[in-house]
Amino acid sequence: MATMESLISLINKIQRACTVLGDHGGEGMSLWEALPSVAVVGGQSSGKSSVLESVVGRDFLPRGSGIVTRRPLVLQLHKIERGTDYAEFLHAPRKKFTDFAAVRKEIQDETDRITGKSKQISNIPIQLSIYSPNVVDLTLIDLPGLTKVAVEGQPETIVEDIENMVRSYVEKPNCIILAISPANQDIATSDAIKLAREVDPTGERTFGVLTKLDLMDKGTNAQDVLEGRSYRLQHPWVGIVNRSQAEINKNIDMISARRKEREYFETSPDYGHLASKMGSEYLAQLLSKHLETVIRQRIPSIIALINKNIDELNAELDRIGRPIAVDSGAQLYTILEMCRAFERVFKEHLDGGRPGGDRIYGVFDHQLPAALKKLPFDRHLSTKNVQKVVSEADGYQPHLIAPEQGYRRLIDGSISFFRGPAEASVDAVHFVLKELVRKSIAETEELKRFPTLSADIAAAATEALEKFREDGRKTVLRLVDMESSYLTVEFFRKLHAESDRIMDRNLEKNPEKNAPPPGPNMDRYADYHFRKIGSNVSAYIGMVCDTLKNSIPKAVVYCQVLSAKRSLLNPFYAHIGRQEKERLGAMLDEDPQLMERRTMIAKRLELYKSARDEIDAVAWK
C-alpha cells in the first residue's frame, strides 16, 4: 500500500493542477471538488489564523482588526525531506519566497488587487503552496471569518455574503470542516459549529477545534467540550493554545510556540490526561491521517469521475476538431474536407434535408406568375395604341388586308415586357442561393474553427453564384428574344381560319346585322378592325406567357441551381491546388478562442490521464 504522504501529496498535486486549469466546477462536480480538502471555518477573532500558522509552523498570515481574510486562501502543505522552508503562489509561479514576511505582504497585495483597499470580499481564491520538512502533506482552505454585523466601510450584505461564500465550500460532500471555536465563549454560540451542524448534521465531516484555552476565566475549563459531553462530534475535539499578542509582537517563532503549547497541556491539571491528543502538531497529524482515509474511500468515485471527464473532453475535441498537421499535404486534405462538409450541408438545403430550398420553388410558383399578371398588356393592346402602332408601321401606304408589320411590332413590344419578370426570377433565385451559402457555412460544424477558411469559401461561392446568375440572365433573356425572333405562324393561320368560319356562319344567319358597316360608318369599322387586331395579339401573347412561365424556371434551375449544386466550389478547388504551404496555413488560421479552448482541453486531458495513472499506481502498489 502507498504511504500516507505519497497519496496526499499526489492529491495536492492534482488539486494544484486543477486550480491552474481553472477546473473548479461547472456542469456537475469538478475534479477539484471531488478531491477531499479541509476548510477552516470560524468567526472573526476565533483564532483561525493562529491555528493555521501553528499547523504550518510559520508566521505568514495577515493580521489586524475586522475582516482580514477577504479572499479564500487555498493552502497546500508539501512535506520535503530536507532543506529550507519556502513558499510559491500560483499567480507568481516562477517566484520562490523564503521570507515569510514577504508571503504575508504578497497575500495582502493579491487580496487588494481584486478587492481594492476596501473591506469587500471576493470568492476568487489565492493559491499558496508551502514546502517544509516540518509540515505534513495537507490541503487547507482558509475562509473569511463569519461575522454578525456589518461595520463602517462594509456593504450591508457582508454578513450574508461571507456566509454564502463559506457555505459554498463546506457544503461539498468531500470537504472536511475544521470548525474553530474560542474556549472563552459558550460553544452554543459558536458560528462555526452552527454552520457545520447545518451542512453536516451527522458530524461525519466535522473536526472541532477549541482555541484560547489559556484565556478562560480562572476556575473554569473546557473539559466538557473536549471530552465530547457539551457537543458531541464523530471525531474528537482538539484543543489549541496559540501565541498571545505579546508573543507575536516579540516575534516568538513557531517552533518555540509549539514547544510551549506542548508544555501547557502536559502540565495542565485540567487537560494533562488529554495532552497526547491536544495541540497543533497533533491536529495536523489527525487531519492528515483522516484525509488519507477519506481519499482511499473516495478513490473509486474519483477514478469514475476522471474517466467521465476524459470521455467528455475527447467528445468535445472531436466536435471542435483535433489539431491540424503542419505539412502542406495534410493542410490541403483538411481544407478539402471542410469544403466537402460545407457542400453536403448546402445540398441538403437544396434537396430538402434542411429548410431553405423550398423558397426557390416559391419564386416560380408565386413571384413569377404574380409578376406576369401585372404586365401592362391592356394598355399596350388598347384600341387606341393598336391603331397608333399599326398606322406607324404602314407608313404612307395603308395595309391592304392584314397589317403584317403592325402585328409584328405589337407582338415584339408585348414580348419585351417579359424581360423584367425573367430577370427578376434570376435575381430572386440568386438571393436565395446566397442566403443558403451563408446559412450552410454557419451550420457546418467543422468550419467553425476556421474563420479565415469560412470567409474564403463564402467569397468563392458568392463569386461562382454571380457567374451562374449571369448565365441564367443570358439564358432567360434569350428565351424571351427567341419568342420575338420567330413567331408561331400556325397560331395565326388557325386564328384567321376560325375567324372566317365564325363570320360566315353569322352572315348566313343574319346577313344585314353581321356585315361590316358600309362607307359612311367607316370609323366604326376601324374600331372593330383594331379591336380584332388587339384581340389576336393578346391571344398570341397569352400563349407565349404560358410557354415562358414554364421555360423560365427550367432555365433558372439549370443555369443557377443545378450549377451551384454540381460545381459551386470547382474554381476554388483549382485555386487552392496552386497555393503554397504558407497560404494554406493562413486559410487554416483558427479562431484564437477556439485554439485556446483546445489547448485547455488538451491540458485537462493530460491532467486527468496522468491523475488516473498516478492514483492507480500510488493507491494500490
Side-chain angles (χ1 to χ4, degrees), residues 497-560:
E498 182 66 22
S499 177
D500 287 347
R501 284 195 296 272
I502 293 173
M503 185 174 290
D504 289 344
R505 285 196 298 269
N506 290 339
L507 285 172
E508 289 175 3
K509 292 178 182 178
N510 194 341
E512 293 182 0
K513 181 178 179 181
N514 292 294
N521 298 314
M522 195 61 192
D523 287 342
R524 288 181 55 204
Y525 172 77
D527 287 346
Y528 169 82
H529 182 57
F530 293 127
R531 282 199 303 273
K532 184 67 174 175
I533 294 172
S535 176
N536 290 344
V537 172
S538 179
Y540 184 78
I541 292 303
M543 181 191 72
V544 172
C545 183
D546 291 339
T547 300
L548 292 176
K549 193 186 297 183
N550 292 320
S551 60
I552 288 175
K554 294 177 187 294
V556 170
V557 168
Y558 181 81
C559 294
Q560 294 178 259

Side-chain angles (χ1 to χ4, degrees), residues 410-428:
L410 288 169
I411 291 172
D412 286 346
S414 298
I415 290 177
S416 67
F417 290 129
F418 290 117
R419 296 173 69 92
E423 290 187 289
S425 298
V426 170
D427 291 339

Side-chain angles (χ1 to χ4, degrees), residues 213-232:
L213 290 167
D214 54 331
L215 300 181
M216 295 183 70
D217 292 338
K218 289 185 177 181
T220 63
N221 61 53
Q223 285 185 10
D224 285 349
V225 176
L226 292 176
E227 293 176 356
R229 292 189 294 273
S230 291
Y231 185 78
R232 187 169 186 81

